[in-house]
PDB file of all heavy atoms in Angstrom:
ATOM      1  N   CYS A  80     229.302-184.349  13.477  1.00 96.00           N
ATOM      2  CA  CYS A  80     230.542-183.603  13.317  1.00 96.00           C
ATOM      3  C   CYS A  80     231.695-184.579  13.090  1.00 96.00           C
ATOM      4  O   CYS A  80     231.850-185.561  13.814  1.00 96.00           O
ATOM      5  CB  CYS A  80     230.799-182.764  14.565  1.00 96.00           C
ATOM      6  SG  CYS A  80     232.267-181.722  14.463  1.00 96.00           S
ATOM      7  N   GLY A  81     232.482-184.313  12.060  1.00 95.00           N
ATOM      8  CA  GLY A  81     233.622-185.166  11.732  1.00 95.00           C
ATOM      9  C   GLY A  81     233.316-186.243  10.711  1.00 95.00           C
ATOM     10  O   GLY A  81     234.237-186.882  10.194  1.00 95.00           O
ATOM     11  N   ALA A  82     232.037-186.461  10.398  1.00 97.00           N
ATOM     12  CA  ALA A  82     231.681-187.476   9.398  1.00 97.00           C
ATOM     13  C   ALA A  82     232.055-186.988   8.002  1.00 97.00           C
ATOM     14  O   ALA A  82     232.160-185.789   7.761  1.00 97.00           O
ATOM     15  CB  ALA A  82     230.190-187.788   9.473  1.00 97.00           C
ATOM     16  N   LYS A  83     232.218-187.929   7.081  1.00 97.00           N
ATOM     17  CA  LYS A  83     232.599-187.589   5.706  1.00 97.00           C
ATOM     18  C   LYS A  83     231.454-187.912   4.759  1.00 97.00           C
ATOM     19  O   LYS A  83     230.900-189.007   4.781  1.00 97.00           O
ATOM     20  CB  LYS A  83     233.856-188.341   5.300  1.00 97.00           C
ATOM     21  CG  LYS A  83     235.081-187.962   6.130  1.00 97.00           C
ATOM     22  CD  LYS A  83     236.329-188.626   5.591  1.00 97.00           C
ATOM     23  CE  LYS A  83     237.535-188.278   6.446  1.00 97.00           C
ATOM     24  NZ  LYS A  83     237.559-189.050   7.708  1.00 97.00           N
ATOM     25  N   LEU A  84     231.126-186.916   3.920  1.00 97.00           N
ATOM     26  CA  LEU A  84     230.054-187.046   2.941  1.00 97.00           C
ATOM     27  C   LEU A  84     230.642-187.089   1.539  1.00 97.00           C
ATOM     28  O   LEU A  84     231.245-186.122   1.081  1.00 97.00           O
ATOM     29  CB  LEU A  84     229.090-185.863   3.055  1.00 97.00           C
ATOM     30  CG  LEU A  84     227.979-185.786   2.002  1.00 97.00           C
ATOM     31  CD1 LEU A  84     227.008-186.959   2.171  1.00 97.00           C
ATOM     32  CD2 LEU A  84     227.242-184.458   2.103  1.00 97.00           C
ATOM     33  N   GLY A  85     230.468-188.210   0.847  1.00 96.00           N
ATOM     34  CA  GLY A  85     230.879-188.317  -0.544  1.00 96.00           C
ATOM     35  C   GLY A  85     229.750-187.869  -1.450  1.00 96.00           C
ATOM     36  O   GLY A  85     228.595-188.238  -1.218  1.00 96.00           O
ATOM     37  N   LEU A  86     230.068-187.070  -2.458  1.00 96.00           N
ATOM     38  CA  LEU A  86     229.067-186.614  -3.423  1.00 96.00           C
ATOM     39  C   LEU A  86     229.501-187.029  -4.820  1.00 96.00           C
ATOM     40  O   LEU A  86     230.582-186.657  -5.273  1.00 96.00           O
ATOM     41  CB  LEU A  86     228.921-185.087  -3.395  1.00 96.00           C
ATOM     42  CG  LEU A  86     228.081-184.444  -2.303  1.00 96.00           C
ATOM     43  CD1 LEU A  86     227.929-182.948  -2.585  1.00 96.00           C
ATOM     44  CD2 LEU A  86     226.719-185.087  -2.186  1.00 96.00           C
ATOM     45  N   MET A  87     228.640-187.783  -5.488  1.00 95.00           N
ATOM     46  CA  MET A  87     228.895-188.161  -6.876  1.00 95.00           C
ATOM     47  C   MET A  87     227.615-187.880  -7.648  1.00 95.00           C
ATOM     48  O   MET A  87     226.882-188.792  -8.044  1.00 95.00           O
ATOM     49  CB  MET A  87     229.298-189.633  -6.983  1.00 95.00           C
ATOM     50  CG  MET A  87     229.852-189.995  -8.348  1.00 95.00           C
ATOM     51  SD  MET A  87     230.493-191.679  -8.374  1.00 95.00           S
ATOM     52  CE  MET A  87     231.006-191.793 -10.082  1.00 95.00           C
ATOM     53  N   ILE A  88     227.348-186.578  -7.813  1.00 94.00           N
ATOM     54  CA  ILE A  88     226.141-186.149  -8.514  1.00 94.00           C
ATOM     55  C   ILE A  88     226.520-185.139  -9.596  1.00 94.00           C
ATOM     56  O   ILE A  88     227.575-184.520  -9.528  1.00 94.00           O
ATOM     57  CB  ILE A  88     225.088-185.549  -7.558  1.00 94.00           C
ATOM     58  CG1 ILE A  88     225.588-184.279  -6.878  1.00 94.00           C
ATOM     59  CG2 ILE A  88     224.665-186.570  -6.510  1.00 94.00           C
ATOM     60  CD1 ILE A  88     224.553-183.579  -6.008  1.00 94.00           C
ATOM     61  N   SER A  89     225.641-184.997 -10.560  1.00 92.00           N
ATOM     62  CA  SER A  89     225.915-184.074 -11.659  1.00 92.00           C
ATOM     63  C   SER A  89     225.906-182.631 -11.161  1.00 92.00           C
ATOM     64  O   SER A  89     225.398-182.334 -10.070  1.00 92.00           O
ATOM     65  CB  SER A  89     224.881-184.260 -12.768  1.00 92.00           C
ATOM     66  OG  SER A  89     223.582-184.043 -12.260  1.00 92.00           O
ATOM     67  N   THR A  90     226.441-181.749 -11.973  1.00 91.00           N
ATOM     68  CA  THR A  90     226.517-180.336 -11.616  1.00 91.00           C
ATOM     69  C   THR A  90     225.120-179.739 -11.558  1.00 91.00           C
ATOM     70  O   THR A  90     224.400-179.712 -12.556  1.00 91.00           O
ATOM     71  CB  THR A  90     227.354-179.571 -12.663  1.00 91.00           C
ATOM     72  OG1 THR A  90     228.649-180.169 -12.725  1.00 91.00           O
ATOM     73  CG2 THR A  90     227.481-178.102 -12.289  1.00 91.00           C
ATOM     74  N   ARG A  91     224.730-179.293 -10.365  1.00 92.00           N
ATOM     75  CA  ARG A  91     223.432-178.649 -10.161  1.00 92.00           C
ATOM     76  C   ARG A  91     223.428-178.010  -8.775  1.00 92.00           C
ATOM     77  O   ARG A  91     224.298-178.295  -7.945  1.00 92.00           O
ATOM     78  CB  ARG A  91     222.290-179.634 -10.340  1.00 92.00           C
ATOM     79  CG  ARG A  91     222.286-180.837  -9.422  1.00 92.00           C
ATOM     80  CD  ARG A  91     221.046-181.684  -9.723  1.00 92.00           C
ATOM     81  NE  ARG A  91     220.886-182.810  -8.841  1.00 92.00           N
ATOM     82  CZ  ARG A  91     221.380-184.024  -9.079  1.00 92.00           C
ATOM     83  NH1 ARG A  91     222.089-184.233 -10.167  1.00 92.00           N
ATOM     84  NH2 ARG A  91     221.171-184.999  -8.239  1.00 92.00           N
ATOM     85  N   PRO A  92     222.452-177.132  -8.498  1.00 95.00           N
ATOM     86  CA  PRO A  92     222.453-176.401  -7.224  1.00 95.00           C
ATOM     87  C   PRO A  92     222.423-177.292  -5.986  1.00 95.00           C
ATOM     88  O   PRO A  92     222.964-176.918  -4.944  1.00 95.00           O
ATOM     89  CB  PRO A  92     221.188-175.541  -7.313  1.00 95.00           C
ATOM     90  CG  PRO A  92     220.959-175.355  -8.771  1.00 95.00           C
ATOM     91  CD  PRO A  92     221.396-176.641  -9.410  1.00 95.00           C
ATOM     92  N   GLU A  93     221.824-178.466  -6.088  1.00 95.00           N
ATOM     93  CA  GLU A  93     221.758-179.360  -4.924  1.00 95.00           C
ATOM     94  C   GLU A  93     223.146-179.760  -4.436  1.00 95.00           C
ATOM     95  O   GLU A  93     223.332-180.030  -3.245  1.00 95.00           O
ATOM     96  CB  GLU A  93     220.942-180.617  -5.262  1.00 95.00           C
ATOM     97  CG  GLU A  93     219.458-180.384  -5.383  1.00 95.00           C
ATOM     98  CD  GLU A  93     219.028-179.809  -6.718  1.00 95.00           C
ATOM     99  OE1 GLU A  93     219.887-179.652  -7.621  1.00 95.00           O
ATOM    100  OE2 GLU A  93     217.826-179.525  -6.883  1.00 95.00           O
TER     101      GLU A  93
END
Side-chain angles (χ1 to χ4, degrees):
C80 183
K83 296 186 182 77
L84 174 66
L86 280 187
M87 192 173 178
I88 63 175
S89 58
T90 302
R91 59 178 184 269
E93 288 81 4

